[in-house]
Amino acid sequence: RRVFQDFVDLFTATFSRKQNEKFLQYTSSCMKRKQWNKLSKCFARASKMGLDKLGERGPTQQSSHCEWKQFVGRVERFEQQRIACETGLAFVFSEGILVEAIREG
């Protein structure tokens, strides 16, 4: 949900909400219906459009351009998680206190 809300905020800050109402409704319906593949494609497409649009404007929009770049990273992670969930590999090993204690003796 957090990725989706960040997407909507960033998208509406960059593009007209009124002109893109159908696209936003489509992404919202994908979210509600848990159509993660379609939602991921929408995120990727919008990210490319956002970076392209801000790249045309030059250095005055640098902070927004950085936000889109960060969002691209989140989209890539979202896609990796989506694929992992579909294939049944939805776990991440992270070292905790126990592993550190074992290593240090």
Side-chain angles (χ1 to χ4, degrees), residues 3-80:
V3 175
F4 179 74
Q5 189 57 51
D6 289 347
F7 161 73
V8 172
D9 293 344
L10 188 56
F11 188 86
T12 55
T14 307
F15 300 100
S16 165
R17 181 183 289 266
K18 192 172 186 175
Q19 290 178 346
N20 294 287
E21 187 174 345
K22 287 184 181 181
F23 179 70
L24 289 169
Q25 287 175 351
Y26 178 74
T27 57
S28 180
S29 73
C30 289
M31 176 72 179
K32 289 176 186 172
R33 294 178 183 170
K34 299 181 181 182
Q35 296 174 325
W36 308 125
N37 185 32
K38 291 180 181 180
L39 187 61
S40 181
K41 287 179 182 178
C42 289
F43 286 167
R45 180 177 171 210
S47 298
K48 184 181 181 331
M49 290 169 34
L51 288 171
D52 289 346
K53 181 175 183 175
L54 294 173
E56 294 170 1
R57 290 186 181 176
T60 57
Q61 298 291 327
Q62 191 169 1
S63 65
S64 295
H65 195 270
C66 288
E67 288 180 50
W68 275 110
K69 280 187 173 184
Q70 289 175 346
F71 186 73
V72 166
R74 294 184 71 191
V75 169
E76 289 170 357
R77 185 164 182 226
F78 178 83
E79 179 65 10
Q80 290 171 350

Side-chain angles (χ1 to χ4, degrees), residues 68-101:
W68 275 110
K69 280 187 173 184
Q70 289 175 346
F71 186 73
V72 166
R74 294 184 71 191
V75 169
E76 289 170 357
R77 185 164 182 226
F78 178 83
E79 179 65 10
Q80 290 171 350
Q81 289 174 337
R82 182 193 69 77
I83 291 169
C85 286
E86 284 183 0
T87 59
L89 298 173
F91 71 91
V92 174
F93 176 78
S94 62
E95 293 184 8
I97 297 172
L98 179 61
V99 173
E100 287 179 27

